Amino acid sequence: AQSVTQLGSHVSVSEGALVLLRCNYSSSVPPYLFWYVQYPNQGLQLLLKYTSAATLVKGINGFEAEFKKSETSFHLTKPSAHMSDAAEYFCAVSPASGGSYIPTFGRGTSLIVHP
Amino acid sequence: NAGVTQTPKFQVLKTGQSMTLQCAQDMNHNSMYWYRQDPGMGLRLIYYSASEGTTDKGEVPNGYNVSRLNKREFSLRLESAAPSQTSVYFCASIDRAKNIQYFGAGTRLSVL
């Protein structure tokens, strides 16, 4: 069984400020973890993923996330927010073994960037 | 590269009408998915197809049927639409080697 909890349905930051989007997961087997981004009126696209290599994962557009097994967390950060980062962000978990390719998504966090 | 293509982009139905949402991918992926997205609920899996010729129920299958027509195409049918099916529907396929899902642009459905 697997689940994802994203803390905060909305996060508001000023342009240039640190972005921190929180994700905690539970999984009965070692997980793969993902962050997807959804811009208005578009589908989801992969931002970054963790697949048991380096625990600090770098993605597109300056985002990165750190896998912390002890905290069962995979928080997404960006040092300096840009207006173009305004979007919906989804954390997802998928089992790393067993042949299941069915990820479980969190409920999403809407990032609002103020000028 | 087209990726995952969904049609139509928008649709308005009356309660009780039927319709089929179409999805096609050109990446030679085996597995395909249908999700619905509702405010505050994230993505919920309706049906998925692990490979051509197989389909399985997801979290919210009631009121829907699917057909995996061939490796490229995976359609979602609403036999008798209900207002509770007003949602944004996304089709996706997965690159198993990279464990990355690719999503279509979505179909925005309103049932009146």
Side-chain angles (χ1 to χ4, degrees):
Chain A
Q2 55 194 28
S3 66
V4 173
T5 301
Q6 290 184 240
L7 298 177
S9 59
H10 295 83
V11 170
S12 182
V13 300
S14 298
E15 192 173 20
L18 172 70
V19 175
L20 171 60
L21 304 182
R22 300 178 186 274
C23 172
N24 289 89
Y25 71 92
S26 68
S27 179
S28 55
V29 298
Y32 289 158
L33 293 158
F34 309 84
W35 277 98
Y36 285 85
V37 60
Q38 183 183 31
Y39 298 105
N41 299 315
Q42 294 185 26
L44 280 70
Q45 57 184 280
L46 184 71
L47 201 56
L48 50 79
K49 64 175 182 175
Y50 164 78
T51 55
S52 75
T55 57
L56 182 62
V57 181
K58 295 186 183 299
I60 61 173
N61 300 336
F63 284 93
E64 63 181 36
E66 186 172 8
F67 171 68
K68 292 187 176 181
K69 184 178 178 180
S70 61
E71 298 178 7
T72 60
S73 68
F74 191 58
H75 302 331
L76 181 69
T77 61
K78 181 174 180 178
S80 177
H82 192 274
M83 296 295 289
S84 61
D85 294 328
E88 189 88 13
Y89 291 80
F90 293 92
C91 183
V93 62
S94 179
S97 61
S100 170
Y101 296 93
I102 304 173
T104 299
F105 287 85
R107 296 193 172 193
T109 298
S110 178
L111 178 63
I112 302 162
V113 183
H114 296 287
Chain B
N1 292 332
V4 179
T5 303
Q6 291 184 236
T7 56
K9 294 188 186 305
F10 302 93
Q11 185 71 47
V12 179
L13 294 177
K14 295 180 179 179
T15 298
Q17 287 185 317
S18 63
M19 78 162 294
T20 299
L21 281 65
Q22 307 287 353
C23 175
Q25 52 92 9
D26 62 0
M27 296 172 282
N28 201 37
H29 293 160
N30 286 311
S31 300
M32 298 183 72
Y33 309 77
W34 275 106
Y35 293 93
R36 59 178 290 171
Q37 183 181 24
D38 302 291
M41 300 297 292
L43 272 73
R44 291 183 292 171
L45 183 65
I46 304 172
Y47 271 93
Y48 68 98
S49 172
S51 60
E52 184 179 353
T54 68
T55 60
D56 287 285
K57 295 179 180 180
E59 180 185 355
V60 288
N62 291 345
Y64 305 94
N65 286 301
V66 291
S67 296
R68 184 72 183 270
L69 305 171
N70 47 55
K71 192 171 186 179
R72 290 187 64 249
E73 298 172 288
F74 188 37
S75 63
L76 178 72
R77 183 162 178 84
L78 287 70
E79 291 290 352
S80 178
S84 61
Q85 294 178 306
T86 293
S87 188
V88 182
Y89 292 86
F90 288 99
C91 177
S93 65
I94 194 166
D95 179 335
R96 289 187 184 179
K98 298 179 180 179
N99 212 323
I100 297 173
Q101 280 187 302
Y102 295 86
F103 288 81
T107 295
R108 284 150 184 80
L109 176 67
S110 292
V111 183
L112 306 177

